[in-house]
Amino acid sequence: MYIDTHCHLSHCFPSFEEALQNIPKDITYLIDISISPNEILSLTQKILPEKILSAFGFYPELCEQWNEEQKQNLKHWIKTLHPLAIGEIGLDYHHHYGTPFLQQRLFIDQLELASLYHKPVLIHSRDAFDDTFSILQNFHPGTPVILHCYGYGPAELEKFLTLPDIYVSFAGNITYPSAQLLRDALHLVPRERLFLETDAPYLSPVPMRGKRNQPDYIRYTYDHVSKILSWELSELCQQIQNNFSRIFLSKLTK
Ligand SMILES: [Zn+2]
């Protein structure tokens, strides 16, 4: 049984119905991420099966349009749609969205909302380790912080692990031959802090690399990670299930 802690169903499939048909039975839970006002609003039209949990937040790309009105909208959606977590939120200096200041303002404001509503956060951080780390140090929401699609090396991981309540989620790129730094980082993650995800439709794992990713391919990442860690696959599945239950399921409010 597998859990996919991060995917974008609306980017993977042409329709929500098609997405539902393509989620295999051996995926017990999946977190579907919405990253813009339009995607969040479309959630109001959907009835989700129990295994699909939704998280949402404003992606760094939206930093230039973030204002008080958007903040009030987001608060309203958090109160009415009860997301499992706030995210993905964070910093992306690789894509130069807006300015670092605007990205930081959006990130910090959403960390404060996560704190206000007691929601875990799903962090996107690309080419922005120093600022991500210092913002989490200064504005930690006091709830679990999941580093989604972990993309740094072991040195950065050691620093992140000095922060409270940090969890690390690896995506399909950990299977790529060039990703030795990710595999080195994986070895340092305490087992009760580990998650795996597809980040579908992006980053398809080997042997599906190059194809559009989908939740079904999570099994390849599990398989790969169990080999890297020299764990039985069943042991890895059980550990992630335990972590997921502890962090997310125990706090579900409907
Ligand atoms: Zn994502």
Side-chain angles (χ1 to χ4, degrees), residues 70-135:
Q70 298 279 26
K71 190 172 173 180
Q72 293 310 322
N73 287 340
L74 183 55
K75 276 188 173 182
H76 172 74
W77 293 326
I78 295 171
K79 284 190 279 190
T80 52
L81 295 169
H82 308 292
L84 182 72
I86 305 302
E88 56 193 292
I89 60 173
L91 302 175
D92 193 323
Y93 295 170
H94 179 80
H95 285 107
H96 302 289
Y97 302 129
T99 64
F101 171 78
L102 290 175
Q103 289 197 29
Q104 290 165 23
R105 187 186 64 162
L106 173 59
F107 184 27
I108 292 167
D109 280 358
Q110 293 185 98
L111 288 173
E112 288 176 351
L113 291 182
S115 172
L116 183 64
Y117 296 106
H118 309 291
K119 298 286 183 187
V121 289
L122 313 175
I123 304 292
H124 172 100
S125 177
R126 191 159 181 207
D127 292 350
F129 169 75
D130 288 338
D131 287 345
T132 305
F133 181 75
S134 70
I135 286 175

Side-chain angles (χ1 to χ4, degrees), residues 19 26 33 40 45 56 65 92 94 98 128 131 154 171 187 235:
D26 58 4
I33 313 289
I40 298 168
Q45 324 273 314
F56 55 73
Q65 47 176 282
D92 193 323
H94 179 80
D131 287 345
H187 284 289
E235 187 187 1

Side-chain angles (χ1 to χ4, degrees), residues 37 58 61-68 70-71 102 105:
F58 280 51
E61 189 178 9
L62 302 176
C63 62
E64 285 169 300
Q65 47 176 282
W66 181 245
N67 56 25
E68 188 53 35
Q70 298 279 26
K71 190 172 173 180
L102 290 175
R105 187 186 64 162

